[in-house]
Amino acid sequence: MRRKVIAGNWKMNMTPSQAKALIEETKPLVAGKDNCDIIFCVPFVDIYAAKEAAKGSNIKIGAENVHFAQKGAYTGEISAEMLKECGVEYVIVGHSERRQYFGETDETVNLRTKAALEAGMTVLLCLGEVKDERLNGITDEVVSMQTKLALKDITAEQLKNVIIAYEPVWAIGTGLTATPEQADETCGVIRNTIKSLYGEKAAEEIIIQYGGSMNASNAKELLAKENVDGGLIGGASLKAKDFSIIVDAAQ
Ligand code: 13P
């Protein structure tokens, strides 16, 4: 039985004081809900305030990206070591918005994944097809290829600290959600890809989340599916009540 992981991706929302307020509001709503891991991935500048606010609770704090180099002339970037020292345990890598708007490629996603793993963080590795790929019937090939490229040279031991977030790009921020069947099927394709790369046990153990307009009303059905081990939640993670309903759905 895989443990469910419910993670919020705040994207470019919340100032440090707003972060503190949202976590204070969420804490009592999710207290004692220990049948799943609860994570907020927050903008870099919110990490300190978020860590402080989450202290002593079951909410863990993650970041939304990490650079692949240890240090150097990469203006505006943040290294794994910097995140580690701030107490960050999780980091999103390869989000479709990074791929779409900031030129991330399968190669940089792989490098960032490696850097985060080497620093001892858990990676929430995002992948998923765009609308045309689904319409053209090549979703399985796309997610399988993205999985393979993102995990290039990552060992079976390191894979234990990888969570995959299947996020169909057409479902992100659109209010369109994959049906539970679509989510289950494509998460299953990703699981099979893991099996071909790392074997049966690794495939059974890896946590695969669904993300894309998951909300308080559709979470339960999505999370009930065999291959869906959690959610990566954008918009609904910015509302304490909605987020806590999704956490409830994972209990
Ligand atoms: P929404 O839940 O707002 O669709 O965003 C999903 C997402 O991109 C999480 O990473």
Side-chain angles (χ1 to χ4, degrees):
M1 193 58 186
R2 290 179 293 270
R3 197 172 159 76
K4 295 241 189 295
V5 179
I6 301 296
N9 172 12
W10 285 1
K11 310 193 178 183
M12 197 174 74
N13 293 291
M14 301 284 143
T15 65
S17 61
Q18 290 167 342
K20 178 173 185 286
L22 180 57
I23 291 175
E24 297 293 356
E25 192 187 346
T26 309
K27 266 198 299 194
L29 300 176
V30 300
K33 310 266 165 76
D34 292 328
N35 283 339
C36 67
D37 288 335
I38 304 170
I39 308 159
F40 278 135
C41 293
V42 307
F44 295 130
V45 294
D46 292 345
I47 289 170
Y48 183 75
K51 286 287 294 182
E52 279 297 301
K55 227 175 230 171
S57 77
N58 52 349
I59 297 172
K60 294 170 182 156
I61 302 302
E64 297 179 13
N65 200 7
V66 61
H67 197 257
F68 43 81
Q70 284 185 341
K71 59 169 146 179
Y74 298 98
T75 302
E77 291 285 332
I78 299 286
S79 74
E81 189 188 7
M82 292 171 187
L83 293 177
K84 252 323 243 197
E85 197 170 316
C86 293
V88 168
E89 298 167 77
Y90 296 85
V91 60
I92 294 174
V93 173
H95 193 279
S96 64
E97 287 148 17
R98 299 293 320 171
R99 297 181 192 245
Q100 226 177 325
Y101 307 135
F102 302 99
E104 298 254 352
T105 62
D106 287 316
E107 191 190 356
T108 59
V109 169
N110 171 247
L111 292 174
R112 288 178 199 257
T113 300
K114 272 191 215 159
L117 291 172
E118 275 158 21
M121 282 183 281
T122 295
V123 171
L124 279 71
L125 173 63
C126 300
L127 50 91
E129 81 287 2
V130 299
K131 189 174 168 195
D132 275 353
E133 291 165 339
R134 178 151 294 264
L135 292 177
N136 285 306
I138 56 167
T139 297
D140 295 3
E141 287 87 340
V142 169
V143 298
S144 176
M145 186 61 81
Q146 286 177 332
T147 304
K148 286 178 187 164
L149 293 173
L151 295 175
K152 186 170 168 282
D153 299 330
I154 281 158
T155 66
E157 198 49 38
Q158 288 177 313
L159 186 75
K160 292 179 180 161
N161 292 319
V162 175
I163 292 172
I164 294 179
Y166 165 56
E167 300 206 303
V169 179
W170 50 270
I172 294 177
T174 57
L176 292 173
T177 316
T179 64
E181 291 69 32
Q182 285 172 326
D184 188 46
E185 191 189 332
T186 310
C187 288
V189 170
I190 296 167
R191 201 175 298 288
N192 268 329
T193 307
I194 296 295
K195 187 173 163 188
S196 73
L197 295 171
Y198 296 95
E200 178 110 42
K201 187 162 181 287
E204 277 305 312
E205 287 175 357
I206 193 154
I207 291 166
I208 305 179
Q209 301 172 307
Y210 167 79
S213 301
M214 188 185 270
N215 59 39
S217 30
N218 62 26
K220 199 163 187 158
E221 270 188 310
L222 286 159
L223 294 169
K225 288 293 175 188
E226 187 185 337
N227 281 303
V228 179
D229 307 321
L232 185 56
I233 298 121
S237 74
L238 300 171
K239 295 177 202 139
K241 185 71 197 152
D242 289 27
F243 186 73
S244 75
I245 292 172
I246 299 172
V247 168
D248 284 341
Q251 292 306 296

